[in-house]
Amino acid sequence: MKNIGNMMKQAQQMQAKMQEMQASLEQVEVTGQSAAGMVVVTVNGKSEMKKVKLDKSVVDPEDVEVLEDLIVAAFNDAKKKVEHHVAEETSKMMGGLKLPPGMKLPF
């Protein structure tokens, strides 16, 4: 019975750490880019877009599709960096505890 009590205490501590990490992710800002930095997107740790910066040379009213693709590419670059950051922070928090393949923590 003592083991179950310890497990519950550890689960509560882990939940508190997860909540702290989720709150801190709103403060993290990561940039992604495309077209050699002519399109830059900034997202927070929850993958919410915060800023878009465009070089004037990529803004062509006659070719909007290219600009749309560049923004998507920059966002995807930033999102990939955020996912890497979250994975690193989660690994630190869990003290090296490995999750089974395919299992992810909810965010």
Side-chain angles (χ1 to χ4, degrees), residues 46-106:
K46 292 188 170 192
S47 296
E48 299 168 336
M49 191 181 304
K50 294 298 184 179
K51 291 186 247 179
V52 176
K53 184 173 180 173
L54 305 173
D55 187 284
K56 290 180 182 185
S57 66
V58 298
V59 181
D60 179 0
E62 300 300 317
D63 197 3
V64 174
E65 292 82 16
V66 169
L67 181 56
E68 292 169 345
D69 290 344
L70 291 173
I71 292 170
V72 169
F75 176 80
N76 287 337
D77 182 44
K79 188 171 187 313
K80 189 181 303 182
K81 291 175 183 177
V82 165
E83 289 170 352
H84 179 75
H85 174 78
V86 169
E88 283 182 345
E89 292 301 309
T90 301
S91 178
K92 287 180 198 174
M93 181 185 68
M94 296 187 69
L97 179 65
K98 301 285 185 190
L99 293 175
M103 184 175 177
K104 294 182 179 182
L105 293 174

Side-chain angles (χ1 to χ4, degrees), residues 36-50:
M38 291 191 292
V39 176
V40 178
V41 171
T42 302
V43 299
N44 69 9
K46 292 188 170 192
S47 296
E48 299 168 336
M49 191 181 304
K50 294 298 184 179

